[in-house]
Amino acid sequence: MTAVPSAESEPRPFAFGSGIYDVDVSDPRGELVDRSGLTGSDIREISGLMQALGGLRDAEQKLSEASLRYMKLNTTDMRALHFLIACENSGVVATPGAIASHLSISTASTTKLLDRLERGDHITRSPHPSDRRALAISITPETRKSAIETVGRQHARRFIAAARLTTQEREIVRRFLVDMTTEIALGDVPWAISAED
């Protein structure tokens, strides 16, 4: 008769989805995270935060994928259109150079991007109002309306969550997000620099 393995001998399952971000699942041997000075309660609370952030990333990824399918565009196209909407809302004339800078892409890639968006009736090119050497790039009213009424409206729901917080809570969350961004920013990390070359 075959012995049934005890519960202790089986791997501890984790909740799929955001559960993968639990520190005990991601780093069970402490190879990445120094836990000295942290209590078990601290670690559970921090894991809860990491799981919440993971859930947010997952939701944003699904929203991004759905928006790309709906608009029939790629990620760079969508980022360019978002930039054009922001320029229009701010009364700023968008130029190919400004788009290239915002997207961190080359002049040649920007030209291909604008050609593709113009063929799809998403943008128009016109003479710049004050610089004869430049072009003004505008999003078409139809594409603007489509983006605002679908993807934009869904993204804007983040404002609702922020509005439910108190002033003090917003400052704590803001500081936490800024601090986390600073911690994970690539800067001059050698492996990231070599990967970009």
Side-chain angles (χ1 to χ4, degrees):
M1 181 181 227
T2 306
V4 177
S6 67
E8 290 79 20
S9 67
E10 293 182 14
R12 187 170 66 92
F14 64 91
F16 293 100
S18 63
I20 200 167
Y21 301 110
D22 184 304
V23 70
D24 287 330
V25 172
S26 298
D27 186 35
R29 290 176 290 282
E31 298 168 281
L32 302 171
V33 179
D34 178 8
R35 302 180 207 187
S36 58
L38 295 175
T39 66
S41 178
D42 290 332
I43 292 168
R44 283 189 299 278
E45 290 170 4
I46 293 167
S47 286
L49 274 176
M50 297 304 104
Q51 289 177 45
L53 284 169
L56 173 61
R57 279 196 301 271
D58 292 346
E60 287 182 328
Q61 182 65 35
K62 287 176 184 170
L63 176 56
S64 176
E65 290 167 359
S67 68
L68 296 176
R69 284 192 304 272
Y70 176 78
M71 298 289 291
K72 296 180 175 64
L73 298 168
N74 67 37
T75 304
T76 305
D77 297 340
M78 290 295 287
R79 289 182 61 215
L81 294 179
H82 184 206
F83 178 72
L84 292 175
I85 290 171
C87 287
E88 187 178 285
N89 290 345
S90 306
V92 173
V93 177
T95 63
I99 293 167
S101 177
H102 175 71
L103 298 176
S104 299
I105 60 177
S106 68
T107 303
S109 294
T110 304
T111 300
K112 289 178 185 174
L113 165 76
L114 296 177
D115 287 346
R116 187 170 60 249
L117 291 175
E118 190 173 46
R119 277 195 307 273
D121 294 323
H122 297 296
I123 64 152
T124 58
R125 291 167 159 127
S126 59
H128 192 285
S130 59
D131 183 352
R132 292 188 326 182
R133 298 164 302 171
L135 288 173
I137 310 299
S138 303
I139 188 168
T140 61
E142 297 78 17
T143 294
R144 184 186 198 283
K145 183 175 186 218
S146 183
I148 293 285
E149 291 300 319
T150 55
V151 184
R153 194 168 298 286
Q154 197 70 21
H155 273 295
R157 295 183 64 80
R158 291 179 292 193
F159 184 90
I160 298 168
R164 285 193 282 261
L165 300 177
T166 65
T167 299
Q168 293 78 15
E169 288 169 334
R170 286 182 204 123
E171 178 55 20
I172 290 168
V173 172
R174 187 196 68 78
R175 281 200 336 258
F176 166 66
L177 293 174
V178 168
D179 190 32
M180 180 168 280
T181 301
T182 301
E183 287 293 336
I184 68 169
L186 288 173
D188 56 0
V189 177
W191 62 263
I193 293 169
S194 62
E196 289 177 359
D197 295 339

